[in-house]
Structures are given as C-alpha cells and as structure tokens.
Amino acid sequence: MIRGENISLKLGEKTILRDISLVVDPGEFVVLLGPNGAGKSTLLKVLALILKPTSGRVIHKYQGSDREEDIKRKIGFLSHRSFLYERLTAWENLEFYGKLYQVADLTRRAEEILEQVGLSYYCHDPVYTYSRGMVQRLSLARLLLHNPEMLFLDEPFTGLDQKGGEILTETIKVLHEQGKTMLMVTHYFDRGVDLAGRILVLNKGSKVFDGKLTSSDLRDIQEFYRAQVETE
Amino acid sequence: MRKIFWIIWKDLAIELRSREVTGAMVLFALMVLVIFAFSFLRPGEKLPPEMIPGVIWVTVAFAGMLGLNHAFLPEKQNDTLTGLILAPVSKSAIYLGKVGTHFLFLLLVEIIALPLFFIFFNIQMQGSVLYLVPVLFFGTAGFSGLGVFLSALSVHTKSNELLLPVILFPLLIPLLLGGVKATGIVFNASWADPVWVGAYWSWLRLMAVFDIIFFTLSLVLIDYVLEV
Ligand SMILES: Nc1ncnc2c1ncn2[C@@H]1O[C@H](COP(=O)(O)OP(=O)(O)OP(=O)(O)O)[C@@H](O)[C@H]1O
Ligand SMILES: [Mg+2]
C-alpha cells in the first residue's frame, strides 16, 4: 500500500505539485492522466522515493521491514529513459542492478528474465549496439529483475512499435493478475487504460479527478478526460 | 559497503572499455610535465628544487579536475543517476563509490606520471620516496572527496564546468598548501634535522584533518545535495 499525504513540490519559484493526497491499495491498477507538464512524471518520482517532496510525506507499507532500503527493494520504476549503461552488456547491467537490489540467486534470475524478454542471444553485446526496442525490452528486464510489488510506469509505450506495445500490454496484464500494485502514466487511451480500475487526472500540479470509472465512462474516456482538463 | 564496491566496479568496467577519462587525464598530466620540462630545463642544469612540488601538484590538481567533470556527467546519459537513487543504495554509498573511482583514476595518473617526472627532470630526493606516499594519499583522497561532493552539487547547473572549479579551488587551498609544503620537505629538506621532520608531520596532519572534516561534512550533506 502506498499513501501520499499533502504532497507539494516546489523547484525554485515554481510549484510543480500542489497538495496532492492519495492512497493506492495493494493490487490496484491506477492510470495517471494529464496534459504535458502537468507534473505526472514528477509525482511518480516523488511516490517512488526518488525525489523528496517540499512538504507532505509518502508512506509505503509492505510485508516485512519498514527500513527505507527494504521498501526500495519492493519498488520498480520504468520510464522512457532506460537507466542502462551503454558501455556495459545487458548481462552486466542486470548483474549490477541485481547486486544493488540484492537479488537472490542472481545468475539464474538474470538468465530467466533475459529469456523472458527475448534477449538471451544478445546478452553479451554492449547496450549501445541495441536498437530502441531492444533497449526497451532490457529496461523491462531491469524493472522485473528484483520482482517488485509496487510498479511505477511512466509512459512505458513511448518508442515501442506495434509488436513491442503488444508485448508490454501483455506483460502489464500478467503483472496485474499476479496482484502487483501499479501506477501508470500514459497518453495512449487504447492501451492499458481499460485494465485500470481507477483513473487519476492531474492538471497544473493539482489532482483534478480521482475515481473509478464505470464501463460506460470508459467508452468515451477521451471525452471524459478532456472535460476534466478543460474545466480547470 | 558491498554496494559501494559494485558502484566502483561498474565505473571501472565502463572505463576499461572506453578509457575516455583516464586516457584524457594521463595525456593531460604528460602535457603539463612536458611543458614544464621545456620551460625550466636548460642543458646541463637541474630543475630548481623549489619548483618540484609545484610541478607535482599542478599536475595532480589539473588531472583531478578533468576527472571530476566525468564523475556524475556520464550518469545523465540514460538517466542512470535516477536508476541509482531509485535502487536500495544510500546516497552516501553512491557518493563514496564515485569518490573511490575518482581516487583510483587519479592514483593511476600519479603512478604513471611520477616516474616520468623523475626521469624528465633527473631528480634526486633528500627524504625517502616513502614519505611522499602519505602526502599523495591524503592529497588525492581530499581532492576526490571534496571534488566529487561539489560535482554532485553542480550536476544540475548548466554551467557545471565553470561552477565546479570556482567553488572547488578556494576550498582546496589548505589541502594544496599542505601538499606543496610537505612535498617540498620530502624533496629538499635535510631529514636529519628534527625541525624539518616536525614540519613535515604537521603539514601532513593538516591534510589529514582537512580530509576528515570534508569527508564528514560531505557524508552528512550528500543526502540533500545529490538529486535527480
Ligand atoms: N528539474 C526540473 N527543474 C525545473 N522544472 C522542472 C524540472 N522537472 C520538471 N520540471 C517542471 O515541472 C513540470 C512538470 O513536469 P513533469 O515532467 O512532471 O510533467 P509531465 O506531466 O510528466 O509531462 P509530460 O506529459 O510532458 O511527460 C513542468 O512544468 C516542468 O517544466
Ligand atoms: Mg512525463
């Protein structure tokens, strides 16, 4: 479970997040929508403990200890930046992150996850030789390597082709069925949004909508979304 | 602790392949030595002994400076800095890892440049070369510790490369002073004279105290300074 209490974030004079409170329950799948510059990526970073809010707090609760280090081991974060080292091979990247996350039985786990994303054959090539889609697959491997419980996905479909998009949609579906908690930012209304039980809309740093959508709403979600953003 | 090692391992693995940073640092050090050699050496003459510590520390300081620009900059490429902060490692571990790498790079430059320095300038030492080791150690550790801290501070400023030396050099003055003075004693002073030996130890103490103060401060403050 994750709870944000009155999160605000200021960078210099600029207020990027304004008094946002939210709770995401275990197993929930929440989609975060909003126009460019609304603060979606920033909110995700604050919730994933990458950025400290100026005021307010973020509380994560999982089974096991409450030490920050143990909490971070339960968090996965996928963005359109890969977090990968170009000069290292896929294998070395996973090995490095695996060590940081103290993944048990790392060699086996890395082999397994590379197999899963279909990169086994290329795993000893440096990442700079990879195509965009291969990098994205490796990011996915990095995301799943330590088997996180809480997943943050920031525009995960960006840069993927049709096939890559389908693989990702499938992966997201599986993760959802496994009972992972997910918070996803996306601009693609036709991908994943139908899986989400709940929608959050952010505009100019404030939360303007938070709630479940009925299936009839879902059909014209774009209209709905536009209405939310334009009433601001 | 082990995670610090892994961060260093990762940086060394990358460097082993590109050799971008150490290559530039070593070349830079050689260039400094060659220029000094051209300007100070006349046939049949020796380098004036007062110049020795100057040549050594100019080389170390500038090569070290060059290395600092590469401490956090490469971590911006695919936003890997965010990846590190996201991972279950403390910011102080990230900091110490980066200090470790920079320290090793600078040490490598010294190990290559010093023998050349002795050959180029045909130097004879008064004290044992062993006395030079702790001076270089404290000097390099302090330079890396403070330098990497300040480069974490300026990761986000656009004028990264300008801001860093502007803050770094004034703060480094005590360390460089100690380094230059202690090195001068090792090379030129009479080691039979207890006054000089005492002076050597007190300059060394100054450097050690500098290191302790700035490492402690950096470890306390790095949590607030290192941001994505
Ligand atoms: N490091 C930074 N320094 C200053 N301003 C920033 C910084 N990062 C983000 N911002 C500002 O914060 C606001 C929100 O940015 P954010 O990236 O969170 O938006 P977003 O909703 O993810 O947009 P997009 O849909 O384009 O990804 C923007 O106005 C942006 O200019
Ligand atoms: Mg964004």
Side-chain angles (χ1 to χ4, degrees):
Chain A
M1 188 218 61
I2 173 171
R3 184 163 73 233
E5 293 174 353
N6 308 96
I7 299 167
S8 293
L9 185 85
K10 285 200 184 91
L11 280 179
E13 291 290 286
K14 221 165 135 194
T15 304
I16 294 172
L17 298 175
R18 232 179 279 265
D19 197 30
I20 295 175
S21 296
L22 79 169
V23 175
V24 181
D25 288 321
E28 247 192 312
F29 186 175
V30 183
V31 162
L32 180 56
L33 303 172
N36 291 133
K40 305 179 297 294
S41 300
T42 312
L43 178 61
L44 239 54
K45 283 184 182 160
V46 170
L47 293 174
L49 309 177
I50 297 166
L51 280 177
K52 286 194 193 78
T54 316
S55 64
R57 26 179 223 162
V58 177
I59 299 156
H60 287 253
K61 280 253 178 303
Y62 307 101
Q63 285 189 335
S65 98
D66 276 342
R67 285 172 53 221
E68 168 142 338
E69 207 166 285
D70 291 316
I71 285 173
K72 284 182 151 187
R73 285 171 61 190
K74 305 277 167 72
I75 298 176
F77 194 102
L78 183 67
S79 88
H80 46 280
R81 309 294 301 276
S82 70
F83 303 169
L84 298 170
Y85 294 95
E86 301 261 324
R87 292 259 178 198
L88 299 183
T89 65
W91 181 265
E92 289 165 333
N93 268 291
L94 292 186
E95 189 182 27
F96 173 62
Y97 279 111
K99 293 289 182 189
L100 295 189
Y101 282 93
Q102 294 164 287
V103 173
D105 203 358
L106 181 56
T107 311
R108 231 206 57 239
R109 177 67 185 148
E111 277 167 6
E112 181 184 283
I113 201 91
L114 282 166
E115 185 73 45
Q116 202 180 319
V117 298
L119 286 177
S120 301
Y121 182 73
Y122 305 98
C123 76
H124 293 299
D125 293 345
V127 171
Y128 68 81
T129 64
Y130 279 25
S131 73
R132 182 89 188 82
M134 287 163 81
V135 168
Q136 201 79 347
R137 286 169 187 224
L138 186 56
S139 315
L140 197 61
R142 183 198 53 76
L143 168 76
L144 300 175
L145 180 68
H146 60 289
N147 198 17
E149 283 177 30
M150 171 79 228
L151 290 107
F152 296 94
L153 312 171
D154 191 357
E155 299 184 36
F157 294 101
T158 310
L160 286 182
D161 61 6
Q162 191 66 29
K163 178 89 180 116
E166 278 163 24
I167 293 174
L168 185 58
T169 314
E170 193 52 38
T171 312
I172 289 174
K173 204 177 280 177
V174 170
L175 289 168
H176 183 51
E177 280 158 10
Q178 286 173 354
K180 311 278 186 199
T181 316
M182 284 193 276
L183 185 52
M184 176 168 82
V185 174
T186 186
H187 292 293
Y188 296 86
F189 294 97
D190 52 338
R191 283 227 183 95
V193 177
D194 52 326
L195 284 174
R198 178 175 154 202
I199 299 224
L200 258 162
V201 181
L202 215 59
N203 196 16
K204 296 182 190 138
S206 304
K207 193 169 85 171
V208 294
F209 177 84
D210 178 358
K212 295 198 185 332
L213 290 182
T214 60
S215 50
S216 62
D217 290 332
L218 268 175
R219 235 176 291 131
D220 30 48
I221 180 155
Q222 269 176 333
E223 295 307 315
F224 171 81
Y225 166 71
R226 224 167 262 142
Q228 290 303 323
V229 170
E230 270 156 26
T231 48
E232 255 299 283
Chain B
M1 242 355 240
R2 208 167 284 161
K3 292 176 184 174
I4 300 174
F5 163 80
W6 279 105
I7 292 173
I8 297 176
W9 171 86
K10 178 264 299 173
D11 280 339
L12 292 185
I14 292 171
E15 180 60 20
L16 213 59
R17 268 155 234 185
S18 70
R19 301 211 173 86
E20 267 163 27
V21 186
T22 48
M25 286 167 81
V26 167
L27 272 179
F28 197 89
L30 292 186
M31 202 170 74
V32 172
L33 286 184
V34 169
I35 290 174
F36 274 119
F38 285 158
S39 59
F40 291 132
L41 288 189
R42 268 166 263 270
E45 275 180 47
K46 285 206 161 172
L47 180 69
E50 316 81 65
M51 295 304 304
I52 295 172
V55 176
I56 292 182
W57 286 96
V58 164
T59 314
V60 171
F62 282 86
M65 194 63 231
L66 202 62
L68 284 183
N69 288 330
H70 294 271
F72 287 102
L73 219 56
E75 301 282 357
K76 292 186 96 175
Q77 190 180 22
N78 287 327
D79 210 5
T80 48
L81 186 58
T82 304
L84 287 179
I85 292 176
L86 168 74
V89 269
S90 61
K91 287 182 181 172
S92 40
I94 299 174
Y95 163 73
L96 287 175
K98 288 290 171 187
V99 172
T101 308
H102 184 269
F103 179 80
L104 291 176
F105 287 178
L106 196 48
L107 209 60
L108 178 78
V109 173
E110 289 163 11
I111 289 170
I112 294 175
L114 265 182
L116 290 174
F117 171 75
F118 279 90
I119 297 167
F120 275 15
F121 297 99
N122 188 20
I123 305 277
Q124 258 107 48
M125 292 175 88
Q126 299 296 317
S128 155
V129 74
L130 282 180
Y131 286 112
L132 197 56
V133 173
V135 180
L136 285 176
F137 175 84
F138 285 124
T140 310
F143 190 100
S144 301
L146 180 59
V148 169
F149 176 77
L150 292 178
S151 59
L153 191 71
S154 50
V155 176
H156 294 297
T157 42
K158 287 248 159 51
S159 51
N160 191 346
E161 292 186 14
L162 178 64
L163 183 67
L164 185 57
V166 166
I167 316 176
L168 178 61
F169 280 133
L171 288 175
L172 273 179
I173 285 172
L175 186 72
L176 291 176
L177 178 69
V180 168
K181 291 295 182 188
T183 309
I185 294 171
V186 173
F187 277 93
N188 304 323
S190 148
W191 279 78
D193 185 346
V195 176
W196 282 118
V197 177
Y200 168 82
W201 287 110
S202 56
W203 286 120
L204 204 60
R205 203 155 45 233
L206 171 76
M207 297 177 82
V209 168
F210 176 97
D211 287 7
I212 292 168
I213 290 175
F214 276 101
F215 264 104
T216 314
L217 273 179
S218 302
L219 284 171
V220 171
L221 294 177
I222 194 75
D223 255 358
Y224 307 96
V225 163
L226 189 60
E227 297 256 282
V228 288

